[in-house]
Amino acid sequence: SYFLRHARSRNYVSESEVCKLESVSLDFGDYHPLKPITVTESKTKKMNRKGSTSSTSSSSSSSLMDPLSSVLDGTDPLSLFAAAADPVTAAPPTDSARRKRDKDESSAVGSDFEPWSSKRGEILARYTTTEKLSINLYMGSEKGKATTTGSAVSEKVRTRLEELDDLEEGSQKELLNLTQQDYMNRIEELNQSLKDAWSSDQKVKALKIVIQCSKLLSETTVIQFYPSKFVLITDILDTFGKLVYERILSMCVDNRVSLPDNFSPESVNDTAKETCLNWFFKIASIRELIPRFYVEAAILKCNKFLSKTGISECLPRLTSMIRGIGDPLVAVYARAYLCRVGMEVAPQLKESLNKNFFDFLLTFKQIHGDTVQNQLVVQCVEIPLYLTLYSPAIDWILQCIAYHAPDVLLTEMMERCKKLGNNALLLNSVMSAFRAEFIAARSMDFIGMIKECDESGFPKHLLFRSLGLNLALADPPENDRHQILNEAWKVITKLKNPQDYINCAEVWVEYTCRHFTKREVNTVLADAIKHMTPDRAFEDAYPQLQSIIQKVITYIYDFALLFSVEKFLPFLDMFQKESVRVEVCKCIMESFIKHQQESTKDPVILNALLHICKTMHDSVNALTLEDEKRILASLINGFIKMVSFGHDFEQQLSFYVEARSMFCNLEPVLVQLIHSVNQLAMETRRVMKGNHSRKTAAFVRACVAFCFITIPSLSSIFTRLNLYLHSGQVALANQCLSQADAFFKAAVSLVPEVPKMISIDGKMRPSDAFLLEFLCNFFSTLLVVPDHPEQGVLFLVRGLLNVIQDYTWEDNSDDKVRIYTNVLHLLSAMTQEAFIYHVDKVDSNDTLYGGDSKFLAEINKLSETVVSQILDHLKTLGKEETVKRQSQLALYFFNTILAHGDLRNNRLNQLSVNLWNLAQKHGFADTKTMVKTLEYIKKRSKQPEMSHFTDLALRLPLQSRT
């Protein structure tokens, strides 16, 4: 008991003054904490290696410099590494080289050009078949293997020529009755065979595989699969073209220096040129047109090795070759491949690309010729389906032509379309290819052309959809906007097929939201409900309906305006499938949280959003993932925080009560409601300036009661503990003393239930550290809690100490003793005449007891028990394996006595010396810490009434670790 009988008497005000940081006057004219600093650099120069003479020069940086940048000389280590690795790029470019590079970059395809690779997956997914397919597989021959070392050169040449002819002599095997997946697997096998043949230096075999694959592109026996077949075969052609180019490029390496990217033919050696010519001669000997065209187009880039004008000369010739292909579908895909290769190797040669397309327009009428019609009859394919097969090829050709094309070209395209009778297929591709700004500026012209176009085979609503996609990206002339919507909607609303209707409506909703008022938006939504409700058609159109909602809330994010759109909530009712309905509700809530700047009490908004939040909450079940629960709770909490009834606190509490009943399955929402109600109680206190009337006192008690009955429903034990403590503090601040006691008693009774391990982010962790943190906070609050007149002195502290004593701690844990040490801090503070802090308008024990001797005697009894527990524990740590823990705890207890004990008492003084020696006894004390502690004691000894610290310092020896 001598610890607290001799607790140090504290003057908190004077101690606070002593501990304040020294104030320094600043001239704020030049000073700003974020302003860059001037760095003074000191440089030392050695005069010679052996001599000791050196001169030091100090120079101040003339400009303001960042100290981190100055160390790196303006570059970072990775840049330096890259520069060292690439001597070509490291050298500064000359003016001519820079101009040349800039010119090349301006003519190259930029990131705004949609690459073929992005269209590949869509084509494969769209153009499928259930019919059986066939494929010819190259079987190979012994001739394909490399000749022996001793064979003559002429023999080798003869063998290779025979190999090329071998393909014509039936070294193939036809595989019939393949499913689409089998066919794709066989093509992939051919691709792998090509790579294997190339890597094993069987170049002629590789060429044979490519020729064989190219031949497949002349077959249209299963016509609806042709676009997908084109994608698969051209993948192999691309692989071949890359292999040939890299092979020739590798032959150009001279003295381990490879050619730069923009090399000239003059820098290519003769061996590489000869090999390149050899490849072109081999390809020229291919007898059939289609494989000869495709294989030469695949290695078009290799012309760079031969001459500067090679590519520009080849493109027109290859374009003309396509005229020899009779089947219009095969021809248009050949043109698409040529455009694809051309854009990769020479995007600046737009004339050849334009000629390619105009050639296609000249032969366009073939599509409706007898040959094609007969073929379609044989394959039982309707003309509308057949025309869609052209779309990927025409769209790609037009995309290549339209890339960075001037306005004039679109006008020319429109004129050519008119000459062809406004063919719907062409018109659709033109609208898909050209920039949205070009199309939007001529919206009325396109509407006129759509009206006049022949609808057979390609319905007008698809044309209006393409126009709508452009108008979603660019604005038409203001005077035309209303007429455009009327013309489009006349066509869309007459559509009988719900899927066709919703595909168009989805696009035009965005145009309506961008340019018109809620009246037009309401009309569009009403029309959508009218079309999609019969026969529950909406069940097959959830993605489009979701897209419509997303577009509406993107443009109408004033929720008062949004919910005044009469048909918005009825539109939501079409989402009958729960998972989709919840996703839509999440989108709406995300938009509300993102855009709602001010709190609201609008009953229309509140009722609508409560309904939406309720939908999200009711979707939670036993199978719902924790992440999903967290997202839903976060959205609902965001809504709750935005609701405010101003100074109508009773209405606010009623809202929270209703929310609690609606969202009882989401724990984070209940936690937010408890915090919100506590905040409401504190706001009431602020308004009343702490002087509650009878009405506000009753209201605050209602808030406290809300929290008290809600907390037990939570599952997380530490959440409950912290909320009991927090709510008790709020009750105390509002002078609800009996309610505060109830919260604190509940917290005390809950401590024994704390498990040894708790789950944190899905991992099991020991709970000791969390319990220690909570109890320290609890002790801080208990200082100001007044004793209940009927419960005895310090009844809450005693109850908590009993719980701590009975709690089963881990064997290797010292947390119990650390808690007891913190209890001593609390008891020391309780012995002071005036406590360090108070709750306004609440009398704490310093006022109630006024330093009464009986009160102090009770504190001394408690402290005696606590100190004996600490010392007993220190004795148990005397074994070899626990002496390190003993050292740490001894120092911890020593610091407690130093801070809170009156060391003028001899017994207390001697205890502190013993603890100091115990901390160092086995060599586990941190020397730095011990030195700093001793320095602190010496510094304190110079303060008034602290001279006894001088004697103490002399009695505290520092021992070395040895």
Side-chain angles (χ1 to χ4, degrees):
S1 66
Y2 51 81
F3 174 78
L4 287 180
R5 197 174 295 137
H6 299 285
R8 185 160 65 86
S9 190
R10 309 288 290 272
N11 185 332
Y12 293 119
V13 176
S14 62
E15 283 184 36
S16 175
E17 287 297 323
V18 169
C19 294
K20 271 187 182 175
L21 292 172
E22 185 183 350
S23 59
V24 179
S25 58
L26 281 174
D27 178 11
F28 285 98
D30 294 327
Y31 172 78
H32 189 279
L34 299 179
K35 190 175 179 180
I37 57 171
T38 304
V39 178
T40 303
E41 219 178 339
S42 293
K43 296 178 183 175
T44 305
K45 296 179 183 176
K46 298 272 184 181
M47 300 308 291
N48 53 50
R49 284 183 183 275
K50 293 179 182 178
S52 58
T53 314
S54 66
S55 67
T56 304
S57 65
S58 179
S59 64
S60 180
S61 166
S62 58
S63 62
L64 295 173
M65 193 185 300
D66 173 17
L68 295 179
S69 300
S70 65
V71 172
L72 296 170
D73 296 326
T75 56
D76 63 278
L78 294 179
S79 302
L80 291 171
F81 178 77
D86 188 359
V88 177
T89 55
T94 60
D95 286 347
S96 60
R98 190 183 289 110
R99 279 197 297 273
K100 187 171 184 295
R101 186 188 67 209
D102 291 345
K103 183 182 176 186
D104 288 339
E105 283 177 357
S106 65
S107 61
V109 175
S111 58
D112 56 336
F113 183 81
E114 187 182 1
W116 174 258
S117 56
S118 67
K119 298 177 180 291
R120 184 182 178 282
E122 184 187 339
I123 295 171
L124 288 173
R126 183 178 173 190
Y127 298 98
T128 59
T129 182
T130 54
E131 292 188 37
K132 298 299 181 184
L133 302 158
S134 63
I135 189 171
N136 291 322
L137 278 179
Y138 169 63
M139 299 305 293
S141 68
E142 292 301 312
K143 298 175 189 174
K145 293 177 182 174
T147 57
T148 58
T149 313
S151 58
V153 175
S154 57
E155 183 65 28
K156 186 176 180 181
V157 172
R158 190 183 304 116
T159 305
R160 290 207 168 171
L161 289 171
E162 287 173 2
E163 284 176 339
L164 279 173
D165 289 336
D166 191 38
L167 189 63
E168 311 295 333
E169 293 167 5
S171 63
Q172 304 171 61
K173 176 184 177 184
E174 188 173 20
L175 296 177
L176 303 171
N177 297 325
L178 297 176
T179 64
Q180 180 182 321
Q181 190 56 51
D182 291 337
Y183 188 91
M184 293 170 75
N185 292 342
R186 295 293 181 185
I187 294 291
E188 184 52 44
E189 285 175 21
L190 283 172
N191 201 354
Q192 190 57 47
S193 299
L194 167 66
K195 292 174 184 173
D196 293 343
W198 192 272
S199 60
S200 60
D201 206 30
Q202 298 183 55
K203 304 292 190 291
V204 172
K205 180 180 177 182
L207 179 59
K208 282 184 176 184
I209 292 170
V210 175
I211 293 169
Q212 176 196 354
C213 290
S214 304
K215 279 188 171 185
L216 295 174
L217 289 173
S218 61
E219 298 172 9
T220 54
T221 45
V222 182
I223 201 163
Q224 62 267 38
F225 184 63
Y226 191 84
S228 290
K229 185 202 285 189
F230 171 79
V231 168
L232 296 168
I233 302 297
T234 51
D235 281 351
I236 296 177
L237 288 164
D238 292 342
T239 302
F240 176 72
K242 188 178 179 184
L243 289 170
V244 173
Y245 182 82
E246 288 176 352
R247 164 75 179 142
I248 298 170
L249 188 65
S250 68
M251 298 172 75
C252 300
V253 175
D254 190 22
N255 295 328
R256 295 189 179 180
V257 177
S258 58
L259 289 175
D261 289 340
N262 298 319
F263 64 86
S264 63
E266 292 78 22
S267 57
V268 179
N269 60 45
D270 291 343
T271 309
K273 284 185 177 178
E274 189 178 340
T275 306
C276 187
L277 277 169
N278 190 26
W279 275 110
F280 280 112
F281 291 152
K282 281 178 186 174
I283 291 163
S285 68
I286 299 171
R287 296 170 191 172
E288 293 186 34
L289 172 62
I290 288 176
R292 186 167 74 249
F293 164 79
Y294 272 108
V295 179
E296 184 174 352
I299 67 163
L300 182 65
K301 191 177 181 181
C302 293
N303 279 286
K304 287 171 67 178
F305 297 109
L306 300 176
S307 72
K308 289 182 179 177
T309 57
I311 293 174
S312 59
E313 289 167 2
C314 278
L315 275 173
R317 179 171 56 78
L318 290 169
T319 302
S320 301
M321 280 172 69
I322 299 171
R323 294 174 182 173
I325 301 174
D327 190 313
L329 184 65
V330 176
V332 78
Y333 275 94
R335 295 184 190 284
Y337 187 67
L338 188 59
C339 283
R340 189 170 129 199
V341 175
M343 284 300 283
E344 285 176 14
V345 300
Q348 70 278 11
L349 299 176
K350 282 290 182 67
E351 298 81 7
S352 297
L353 301 180
N354 293 353
K355 181 174 181 286
N356 190 6
F357 183 68
F358 294 145
D359 269 11
F360 163 69
L361 291 181
L362 291 172
T363 58
F364 187 73
K365 290 178 182 176
Q366 279 183 289
I367 292 174
H368 301 287
D370 292 342
T371 309
V372 172
Q373 297 299 325
N374 293 339
Q375 186 184 17
L376 297 183
V377 170
V378 171
Q379 295 200 32
C380 302
V381 173
E382 296 290 330
I383 190 74
L385 174 62
Y386 176 67
L387 288 177
T388 61
L389 302 178
Y390 283 80
S391 293
I394 298 175
D395 288 351
W396 178 258
I397 295 168
L398 278 168
Q399 182 186 322
C400 296
I401 292 171
Y403 183 65
H404 288 179
D407 226 355
V408 182
L409 185 62
L410 175 59
T411 310
E412 186 181 348
M413 286 291 173
M414 290 172 73
E415 290 303 319
R416 286 180 180 261
C417 283
K418 285 176 184 174
K419 285 178 185 175
L420 288 168
N422 289 328
N423 182 276
L425 176 66
L426 276 179
L427 200 55
N428 190 60
S429 293
V430 167
M431 286 191 288
S432 301
F434 281 85
R435 290 214 328 261
E437 293 81 4
F438 289 2
I439 308 294
R442 298 167 174 75
S443 298
M444 290 308 298
D445 294 337
F446 275 104
I447 285 175
M449 292 171 72
I450 291 169
K451 281 181 176 178
E452 293 171 13
C453 78
D454 177 17
E455 198 171 356
S456 65
F458 204 94
K460 284 184 182 178
H461 69 83
L462 292 180
L463 296 174
F464 273 108
R465 186 177 189 277
S466 296
L467 180 61
L469 288 169
N470 282 290
L471 295 180
L473 299 171
D475 298 335
E478 196 167 341
N479 297 335
D480 296 340
R481 289 175 186 174
H482 215 283
Q483 191 179 351
I484 290 167
L485 181 61
N486 287 339
E487 293 290 349
W489 211 260
K490 273 182 205 170
V491 175
I492 295 167
T493 196
K494 287 176 185 173
L495 293 172
K496 303 295 182 196
N497 184 315
Q499 205 61 40
D500 290 343
Y501 171 84
I502 201 65
N503 284 336
C504 280
E506 173 206 351
V507 172
W508 281 89
V509 160
E510 184 164 1
Y511 175 76
T512 311
C513 292
R514 271 169 74 105
H515 301 297
F516 298 99
T517 63
K518 71 170 188 176
R519 183 170 142 272
E520 287 82 3
V521 173
N522 193 55
T523 305
V524 169
L525 293 181
D527 196 53
I529 293 168
K530 178 183 163 188
H531 277 79
M532 301 309 292
T533 306
D535 302 324
R536 298 178 70 83
F538 53 76
E539 290 182 344
D540 299 320
Y542 284 137
Q544 294 91 331
L545 295 173
Q546 271 183 273
S547 176
I548 288 174
I549 288 288
Q550 188 66 57
K551 286 166 182 172
V552 170
I553 61 179
T554 299
Y555 290 97
I556 308 177
Y557 43 78
D558 176 352
F559 275 71
L561 181 63
L562 178 66
F563 290 126
S564 67
V565 175
E566 189 184 337
K567 294 297 179 181
F568 181 75
L569 290 175
F571 190 91
L572 283 183
D573 290 337
M574 286 198 289
F575 295 97
Q576 301 282 310
K577 188 178 177 183
E578 187 183 61
S579 59
V580 182
R581 191 178 179 85
V582 170
E583 283 303 313
V584 171
C585 291
K586 282 161 70 175
C587 283
I588 295 170
M589 291 312 302
E590 282 166 6
S591 177
F592 175 77
I593 291 165
K594 181 179 177 183
H595 293 110
Q596 188 72 22
Q597 300 295 325
E598 296 175 356
S599 53
T600 181
K601 60 178 181 178
D602 186 326
V604 175
I605 295 177
L606 296 190
N607 288 331
L609 292 183
L610 274 173
H611 171 69
I612 288 167
C613 289
K614 178 71 172 157
T615 301
M616 295 194 300
H617 169 270
D618 291 350
S619 70
V620 174
N621 56 40
L623 300 177
T624 308
L625 297 172
E626 286 302 317
D627 277 351
E628 179 67 9
K629 287 183 186 176
R630 200 176 295 121
I631 291 167
L632 295 177
S634 173
L635 293 171
I636 296 172
N637 284 345
F639 163 60
I640 289 169
K641 289 175 189 174
M642 292 306 298
V643 176
S644 172
F645 290 89
H647 281 182
D648 189 350
F649 293 159
E650 290 181 353
Q651 183 69 32
Q652 188 83 34
L653 183 59
S654 298
F655 169 77
Y656 291 144
V657 170
E658 185 184 357
R660 181 178 63 185
S661 65
M662 293 177 77
F663 310 127
C664 55
N665 289 334
L666 287 171
E667 192 161 303
V669 179
L670 295 179
V671 171
Q672 177 59 45
L673 287 169
I674 292 167
H675 283 306
S676 296
V677 171
N678 278 328
Q679 191 176 350
L680 187 62
M682 294 306 289
E683 182 65 15
T684 308
R685 178 181 181 273
R686 186 188 66 78
V687 170
M688 299 303 292
K689 297 180 180 175
N691 298 310
H692 284 299
S693 64
R694 182 178 296 178
K695 184 179 179 182
T696 58
F699 174 75
V700 166
R701 285 196 292 275
C703 292
V704 168
F706 176 99
C707 298
F708 193 74
I709 61 174
T710 308
I711 294 172
S713 63
L714 305 176
S715 61
S716 168
I717 194 157
F718 277 103
T719 303
R720 275 185 281 160
L721 281 170
N722 286 311
L723 285 174
Y724 274 134
L725 178 57
H726 183 223
S727 302
Q729 291 165 345
V730 170
L732 200 61
N734 283 284
Q735 300 126 50
C736 302
L737 301 184
S738 58
Q739 287 85 351
D741 278 352
F743 279 115
F744 297 141
K745 281 180 188 174
V748 170
S749 62
L750 193 57
V751 170
E753 297 177 27
V754 174
K756 296 288 169 289
M757 306 290 285
I758 55 171
S759 176
I760 306 286
D761 296 330
K763 294 180 181 177
M764 297 307 289
R765 308 277 190 203
S767 63
D768 292 1
F770 298 95
L771 183 56
L772 178 61
E773 182 186 0
F774 167 75
L775 290 172
C776 288
N777 287 337
F778 200 180
F779 294 146
S780 300
T781 303
L782 289 179
L783 175 65
V784 292
V785 177
D787 282 344
H788 193 285
E790 297 172 8
Q791 300 284 352
V793 178
L794 303 179
F795 73 102
L796 282 173
V797 177
R798 289 175 188 281
L800 189 52
L801 283 173
N802 290 334
V803 165
I804 294 166
Q805 177 64 31
D806 296 337
Y807 187 79
T808 309
W809 299 88
E810 293 290 332
D811 292 337
N812 60 346
S813 169
D814 297 319
D815 286 332
K816 183 177 181 181
V817 174
R818 293 182 186 278
I819 290 168
Y820 280 149
T821 312
N822 282 308
V823 170
L824 290 178
H825 302 170
L826 169 63
L827 296 174
S828 171
M830 284 182 163
T831 62
Q832 305 301 318
E833 284 185 21
F835 291 172
I836 188 169
Y837 48 81
H838 294 87
V839 176
D840 189 34
K841 297 187 172 55
V842 174
D843 290 333
S844 297
N845 285 340
D846 57 342
T847 307
L848 293 179
Y849 292 108
D852 183 74
S853 56
K854 288 181 182 178
F855 173 64
L856 296 176
E858 288 294 330
I859 293 176
N860 284 333
K861 279 183 191 174
L862 275 179
S863 68
E864 186 176 350
T865 308
V866 170
V867 169
S868 64
Q869 291 275 358
I870 295 171
L871 294 176
D872 288 345
H873 185 78
L874 280 171
K875 285 175 189 173
T876 62
L877 297 177
K879 297 171 188 172
E880 188 178 345
E881 63 272 15
T882 55
V883 287
K884 186 174 182 181
R885 285 164 54 198
Q886 186 189 54
S887 170
Q888 292 169 344
L889 279 182
L891 186 59
Y892 189 60
F893 191 24
F894 171 83
N895 285 327
T896 295
I897 294 174
L898 195 62
H900 299 281
D902 184 355
L903 290 169
R904 285 174 293 199
N905 176 267
N906 291 334
R907 290 181 66 191
L908 201 54
N909 198 301
Q910 185 56 49
L911 176 60
S912 64
V913 172
N914 293 344
L915 288 168
W916 176 269
N917 292 331
L918 182 61
Q920 298 184 102
K921 185 175 180 182
H922 298 284
F924 285 106
D926 179 35
T927 310
K928 255 186 190 176
T929 306
M930 304 302 277
V931 169
K932 284 186 177 178
T933 305
L934 199 54
E935 285 174 0
Y936 167 75
I937 293 169
K938 289 174 182 176
K939 186 178 176 183
R940 286 289 304 275
S941 68
K942 295 173 184 175
Q943 293 177 7
E945 299 182 12
M946 288 290 176
S947 56
H948 57 283
F949 269 42
T950 307
D951 297 330
L952 177 65
L954 295 173
R955 299 177 64 199
L956 301 178
L958 278 174
Q959 296 177 5
S960 65
R961 293 182 71 87
T962 56

